Amino acid sequence: MDGFFKWSSKWWPGVIPLIVLWAFAAWTSTAPLEADLADRSAAALQGAVLDKTTIAVAGRDVTLGAEAFSEAARSAAVRAVDAVSGVRLVNDETRLVAEARPFVWSAERDVVRVTLAGSAPLPASKAKLTEAARGALGGVEVSDQMKLARGAPAHFDEAAVLLLGQIAKLKDGKFTISDSSVSLSGMARELGDREAIAAALKKLPEDFKIAANDLKAPPYVLQVNKDPVASTLTLSGNVPDESVHAAITAAAAGKFFSEKVVDNLKTSIGAPGGFAAAVVPALGALSRLSTGTLVVSDREVKLSGDALYDGAALQIRSGLGKDFPQNWQFKADVSVKPAVAPVDATVCQQLFSELLGKASIRFEAGKADLDPDSTGLLDRLVEIALRCPASDIEVVGHTDGDGDDESNHAMSEKRAQAVVDYLVNAGLPAARFTATGFGAAQPLVPSDSEQGKAQNRRIEFKVM
Amino acid sequence: MAYLVMFHWGWLLGALLLGFAMGWIAVVHRGPGVSRTQAGWLGLLAAALLAAALTHLVPGRPGYWVELALLMLGPYVAGCAIGSLLRAWVVRRSVATRTS
């Protein structure tokens, strides 16, 4: 045993190369060891729900920084790294994610993008909400500015996903969840979308309530364009239901005798009250214009175009608003069409005959009152009469064969006079016109059918 | 510990071989050895380092280097012991052969 002690006293010279070996070992192994421990610590945290995780290794000591969403998750993360084989100790720099009071989240839509802002409870819900926004709006940029925070109400994800499902129905605006209150502002994309959003919100989780719904519907627009070149009347925009749709197209067909009606109307909810009652007289005003556009937007009616003569322009500007239901506004931007070159009596007669061949002046049934639907036609007759100022004109009334001769004669004369009155009211000299009635004495066709009777009930213009 | 041994087995084997060589030489070496007092101090130093390593007193990289030094010292000393015993046995055998 003594020998062993003697030998061991001489082992020390080997310590010098051992120190060199140790220095080499320390020099070459430190960085790979730290990298290996960092990798395995990160792997140990793979399933943990943490934010802003940082792992720094010095020697065998791991400094773990992270924000956790619960105390249990925080301590579990520290334990997981501590349990990694090779780790000597963990410097715990983890903390809990800040709590948001109140917990506010919002999704804001503008023309080009959707911005998700405020707080989200977990990284997974953040990703889920961003994905839901992308899914709801294919191709629209989604900007994620959400921060993570604790304190979300129960079923937050469910409520936020439901709101994002409705964001495509928003033109611009904002959905906000503040604790368990939901508020909405902005404008819906299409008519009916505001109502659709309100209906969808009924499926919000029970504990959520709607604090404010300030969504506005887009303007309820109907547009009518009269194009004399193409000879078309184009109706586009919205009507509240099929019966109003039918009423408007029927009014258009009655008031516009020479234009082809192109019907591009669609049925949408949200029309202002008295819609049909405002649109029908406005169509009458448009029928008096040579070319023009009628735009009905919510409760505002805008009419622009050219009237056929000064008197018509004046009547339209001053008269139309009176026909409208309450709270409706009327704006007329009506100018007068430049006067057309005068023509001689023969051409004038030809123009009258052509026009009255296309349409007849109509009267209230059994009366001598002019049907408002014929105003457009009468204005055109005024325009022709203005082109031959030197000629006198005889306005001749005819009836069908129903009823006795005396009353038919009186009626035909009264109706011819009503037309003359209209022409004089329009500013033409009364001296140029005479009203004559022939009753049923000069039928065009036999009055043995309804069609034949309708053809015989007529007003003729004779240029003298 | 097991992790460190696995990770550094090459260096530890080197320390073991170095110790074995030193132990082999030490049996026939005629130079001066360390005195008992010096040995005591060295032992104390090793014990202090061991204590520091076990209590995690030295942080970060220096802490790891202390552990590495102690880890390499172990195989070195073991190598020395094996080398010396083996050499002593060989020397005894050759002396016995010569005297017979």
Side-chain angles (χ1 to χ4, degrees):
Chain A
M1 204 59 191
D2 264 359
F4 190 79
F5 278 121
K6 205 178 90 189
W7 307 326
S8 65
S9 71
K10 290 176 184 175
W11 290 347
W12 66 268
V15 172
I16 294 159
L18 182 69
I19 289 171
V20 174
L21 195 68
W22 166 78
F24 264 117
W27 176 264
T28 56
S29 73
T30 306
L33 175 98
E34 288 175 348
D36 181 57
L37 289 177
D39 285 352
R40 286 187 307 113
S41 300
L45 291 176
Q46 202 77 59
V49 182
L50 298 168
D51 186 37
K52 299 178 190 160
T53 307
T54 55
I55 294 171
V57 184
R60 296 202 294 134
D61 300 353
V62 177
T63 304
L64 174 67
E67 292 195 350
F69 297 90
S70 66
E71 182 51 40
R74 195 194 67 75
S75 53
V78 175
R79 281 201 305 277
V81 174
D82 202 29
V84 169
S85 131
V87 169
R88 187 176 74 153
L89 56 88
V90 179
N91 294 318
D92 180 5
E93 289 182 4
T94 58
R95 59 197 176 91
L96 287 174
V97 170
E99 189 167 354
R101 280 274 159 245
F103 191 92
V104 179
W105 171 89
S106 68
E108 184 165 11
R109 175 155 199 195
D110 57 28
V111 182
V112 287
R113 70 174 69 78
V114 169
T115 308
L116 304 177
S119 306
L122 289 172
S125 25
K126 200 166 173 284
K128 189 165 142 193
L129 297 179
T130 314
E131 205 44 54
R134 290 214 175 89
L137 300 159
V140 175
E141 186 196 332
V142 176
S143 161
D144 174 9
Q145 294 176 6
M146 290 180 282
K147 290 183 176 62
L148 294 164
R150 288 181 304 129
H155 309 297
F156 167 82
D157 283 11
E158 212 180 309
V161 166
L162 181 92
L163 288 176
L164 285 173
Q166 301 303 314
I167 204 151
K169 298 193 182 93
L170 209 58
K171 182 163 178 273
D172 53 57
K174 197 171 180 181
F175 292 156
T176 309
I177 297 179
S178 178
D179 285 339
S180 57
S181 306
V182 177
S183 38
L184 308 100
S185 62
M187 180 168 291
R189 177 159 291 277
E190 304 271 345
L191 288 167
D193 281 351
R194 185 178 59 161
E195 290 73 13
I197 292 172
L201 291 184
K202 295 204 172 93
K203 290 182 196 147
L204 272 173
E206 265 180 24
D207 25 356
F208 284 82
K209 63 180 191 303
I210 313 239
N213 183 351
D214 299 328
L215 281 181
K216 292 185 180 66
Y220 198 90
V221 177
L222 174 138
Q223 187 164 337
V224 186
N225 189 40
K226 182 180 180 183
D227 180 354
V229 180
S231 192
T232 52
L233 183 79
T234 310
L235 305 164
S236 53
N238 307 289
V239 283
D241 54 47
E242 280 311 316
S243 67
V244 173
H245 189 176
I248 288 173
T249 46
K255 292 176 196 295
F256 296 83
F257 56 90
S258 60
E259 283 84 8
K260 184 175 171 248
V261 176
V262 180
D263 180 4
N264 293 333
L265 293 172
K266 61 176 182 184
T267 310
S268 314
I269 57 167
F275 185 78
V279 171
V280 171
L283 276 175
L286 180 66
S287 76
R288 299 184 66 180
L289 302 182
S290 137
T291 171
T293 304
L294 170 71
V295 180
V296 181
S297 177
D298 285 337
R299 288 175 193 272
E300 188 181 82
V301 176
K302 277 188 195 167
L303 181 71
S304 57
D306 295 337
L308 295 168
Y309 55 94
D310 289 337
L314 275 173
Q315 284 172 16
I316 293 168
R317 281 191 212 117
S318 61
L320 184 63
K322 290 173 195 158
D323 299 341
F324 282 178
Q326 265 195 338
N327 302 328
W328 282 73
Q329 288 183 339
F330 173 61
K331 284 186 185 171
D333 177 18
V334 177
S335 48
V336 181
K337 186 188 164 192
V340 194
V343 289
D344 63 25
T346 325
V347 178
C348 214
Q349 177 65 66
Q350 199 181 342
L351 291 171
F352 278 129
S353 306
E354 265 177 29
L355 187 58
L356 290 168
K358 282 188 209 164
S360 308
I361 299 172
R362 287 195 299 264
F363 297 86
E364 308 274 339
K367 290 183 185 169
D369 298 331
L370 288 163
D371 184 333
D373 280 2
S374 289
T375 316
L377 174 61
L378 288 161
D379 277 0
R380 267 162 191 71
L381 293 168
V382 172
E383 190 197 16
I384 296 169
L386 282 166
R387 292 179 69 182
C388 44
S391 317
D392 286 345
I393 295 160
E394 184 185 11
V395 178
V396 187
H398 300 273
T399 63
D400 56 32
D402 290 352
D404 60 86
D405 285 352
E406 201 176 323
S407 61
N408 278 342
H409 190 268
M411 179 61 82
S412 62
E413 205 168 87
K414 273 190 198 162
R415 285 184 166 178
Q417 189 57 49
V419 173
V420 170
D421 290 348
Y422 188 92
L423 299 173
V424 172
N425 258 342
L428 290 161
R432 284 182 61 197
F433 300 97
T434 47
T436 317
F438 284 110
Q442 294 181 4
L444 273 183
V445 290
S447 277
D448 50 6
S449 67
E450 280 308 312
Q451 205 186 344
K453 286 179 192 170
Q455 271 183 278
N456 290 333
R457 287 192 300 267
R458 66 196 190 278
I459 297 286
E460 287 174 347
F461 276 52
K462 287 188 177 157
V463 183
M464 293 179 290
Chain B
M1 183 71 179
Y3 169 77
L4 283 178
V5 173
M6 295 275 284
F7 196 84
H8 297 103
W9 67 269
W11 296 108
L12 300 185
L13 185 68
L16 184 78
L17 291 176
L18 184 66
F20 184 83
M22 199 57 235
W24 189 266
I25 298 164
V27 174
V28 294
H29 186 55
R30 293 180 189 281
V34 287
S35 67
R36 277 185 178 261
T37 326
Q38 284 168 327
W41 281 115
L42 286 172
L44 206 64
L45 177 68
L49 285 174
L50 190 66
L54 289 175
T55 54
H56 300 168
L57 193 70
V58 188
R61 286 183 169 180
Y64 161 62
W65 293 332
V66 168
E67 287 181 330
L68 183 63
L70 289 169
L71 200 67
M72 288 175 78
L73 191 64
Y76 174 77
V77 171
C80 283
I82 296 165
S84 290
L85 289 171
L86 210 61
R87 186 69 186 275
W89 179 72
V90 170
V91 167
R92 266 203 307 275
R93 245 187 75 172
S94 66
V95 169
T97 318
R98 226 177 290 151
T99 48
S100 64

